[in-house]
Amino acid sequence: MAIDLRSEFQAPAVDAAADAARRVIDALVRSGGMTDADMSAIADRLNAVADDLEAAAPPVADRLVDMWRGDGITRHDPVAGPENPIAPPLEYSAVDSRTIEAVTTLGLPYQGPPSCVHGGVSALLLDHTLGVANGWAGVSGMTAELTLRYHRTTPLFEPLTVTARQVSVDGRKIRTTGEITAGGGTCVSAEGLFIAKHPPRPR
């Protein structure tokens, strides 16, 4: 069963723009200096787009309030946020009442070792996914500890399954585990300790 983790505030045009930006990021990393494209002209075009966006953007304080309004899952986070172009983004499904998973394929923008996912990116995906599993299970909080074990390299260009499960809740302490697998083998496993508290939302 797919989990609708989107905010109730939908913005299809914003999501489409973020998808386009993902394509640009991927194409820029893939091209590097090995392209016949006129990169100076492309830089001018991209700067013109950035100028238009910056001219129309609200003050940061107003945007922060907008990002955190409502009770839904945020749309801006760097892992599953549909309006954040650095997010893959992950789309989660429920395995059971305490477990979620997502399948994603990462490209060159997420590379660390040759043809492999950067270890910090793996940590980002797991930290966020453990947190989402906590929310799905009904008790969430802030990351206090995150312990990772890198079993083998995590490949680019192949489907990755990111899974997390809330294991226990003891007072304000929440313990959650997760892993990234590829081809049926574990690439990275994680154990997290979360504390059931949240900073105040911007107002």
Side-chain angles (χ1 to χ4, degrees), residues 21-35 39 46 107-112 156-157:
R22 288 186 192 96
R23 288 188 60 201
V24 170
I25 292 169
D26 184 77
L28 283 170
V29 177
R30 193 154 36 94
S31 297
M34 299 179 64
T35 178
M39 296 300 276
L46 291 175
L108 287 176
Y110 304 98
Q111 181 175 230
L156 297 175
F157 317 119

Side-chain angles (χ1 to χ4, degrees), residues 5-203:
L5 295 178
R6 299 167 298 174
S7 166
E8 63 268 35
F9 303 103
Q10 300 303 303
V14 175
D15 295 357
D19 283 340
R22 288 186 192 96
R23 288 188 60 201
V24 170
I25 292 169
D26 184 77
L28 283 170
V29 177
R30 193 154 36 94
S31 297
M34 299 179 64
T35 178
D36 294 329
D38 185 345
M39 296 300 276
S40 293
I42 289 172
D44 289 342
R45 288 159 59 193
L46 291 175
N47 278 316
V49 170
D51 288 343
D52 289 343
L53 289 170
E54 289 172 357
V60 172
D62 292 347
R63 178 61 174 133
L64 283 170
V65 172
D66 177 69
M67 284 177 165
W68 291 103
R69 63 184 173 139
D71 296 323
I73 300 299
T74 57
R75 292 172 40 80
H76 63 267
D77 73 76
V79 175
E83 66 183 36
N84 190 332
I86 70 171
L90 269 62
E91 295 183 5
Y92 296 105
S93 296
V95 176
D96 57 40
S97 62
R98 293 189 297 167
T99 309
I100 62 169
E101 70 176 16
V103 178
T104 188
T105 299
L106 301 181
L108 287 176
Y110 304 98
Q111 181 175 230
S115 297
C116 299
V117 178
H118 192 290
V121 171
S122 296
L124 173 66
L125 298 185
L126 283 165
D127 179 50
H128 184 77
T129 302
L130 267 61
V132 173
N134 289 333
W136 175 247
V139 182
S140 62
M142 302 283 290
T143 309
E145 295 179 2
L146 184 66
T147 302
L148 300 174
R149 181 179 177 189
Y150 294 87
H151 301 262
R152 61 187 179 102
T153 55
T154 303
L156 297 175
F157 317 119
E158 295 181 24
L160 307 175
T161 300
V162 187
T163 308
R165 175 178 177 80
Q166 187 178 92
V167 175
S168 66
V169 178
D170 180 11
R172 295 174 60 223
K173 294 182 178 180
I174 308 162
R175 298 193 182 274
T176 315
T177 62
E179 63 178 0
I180 299 174
T181 63
T186 300
C187 301
V188 188
S189 60
E191 295 181 357
L193 170 64
F194 296 79
I195 304 300
K197 66 176 182 178
H198 298 277
R201 293 191 175 206
R203 298 186 184 280

